[in-house]
Amino acid sequence: MSDPRTGARFDALPPETVYAHAPEPMAESAALLRLDTLLRTGEAGPDRVRERFLRLAALSDRLALMAAEAPAGRTATPAEAERDAVGDACQLAAWDRRHPDQVAGPYGPDSEWDSPRSYVRQEYQTWMSKNGAWKASS
């Protein structure tokens, strides 16, 4: 992809780097459920809405990567998992277009990403580096 400011080429970090210190998928799912409760009860603000979009998109991305390597019948098909991951990534990108002040990484959602999932990886990597691998649970 190209840097939208200079036209220079840049690459998104590979998923194994981005997700190296991420919570296990079950722990991330539990954290998302807790976050959903906070949002439903009004105990969380707009920054937490964005966090939910981001964490769900990252989890979907990770599950799609796992589905691509899983034996048939053990998980969602790779095509289903890819569809879910792209859909969740597009929801994050749509939120960030409406709230550009919440974009964490250097390149926004309208940059020349090879996939919406690459944008998720940039944003998750930035969020994890700012919040630590486990601020995630609260």
Side-chain angles (χ1 to χ4, degrees):
M1 72 194 116
S2 297
D3 180 326
R5 294 178 301 243
T6 66
R9 301 288 296 165
F10 65 95
D11 295 314
L13 291 171
E16 47 285 344
T17 301
V18 173
Y19 302 127
H21 301 290
E24 291 298 319
M26 290 298 290
E28 188 70 69
S29 295
L32 278 164
L33 289 172
R34 286 190 298 277
L35 188 52
D36 282 344
T37 299
L38 292 173
L39 292 168
R40 264 195 322 278
T41 60
E43 297 176 49
D47 59 323
R48 301 302 298 267
V49 173
R50 199 246 184 208
E51 178 185 338
R52 185 197 178 282
F53 281 123
L54 173 61
R55 293 177 72 177
L56 179 61
L59 178 61
S60 294
D61 184 36
R62 292 169 63 200
L63 294 175
L65 294 166
M66 293 167 62
E69 297 179 9
R74 298 282 314 257
T75 184
T77 67
E80 292 168 333
E82 168 75 15
R83 183 194 65 232
D84 292 346
V86 169
D88 290 336
C90 288
Q91 286 185 345
L92 172 66
W95 175 269
D96 284 354
R97 283 184 196 97
R98 290 189 309 274
H99 305 89
D101 57 308
Q102 292 186 4
V103 172
Y107 306 106
D110 292 325
S111 296
E112 295 180 28
W113 297 103
D114 57 348
S115 163
R117 292 169 64 186
S118 296
Y119 176 66
V120 169
R121 292 173 191 156
Q122 170 197 264
E123 292 299 293
Y124 192 77
Q125 174 71 29
T126 304
W127 181 77
M128 289 284 284
S129 69
K130 289 180 179 177
N131 293 291
W134 245 143
K135 174 197 180 236
S137 64
S138 54

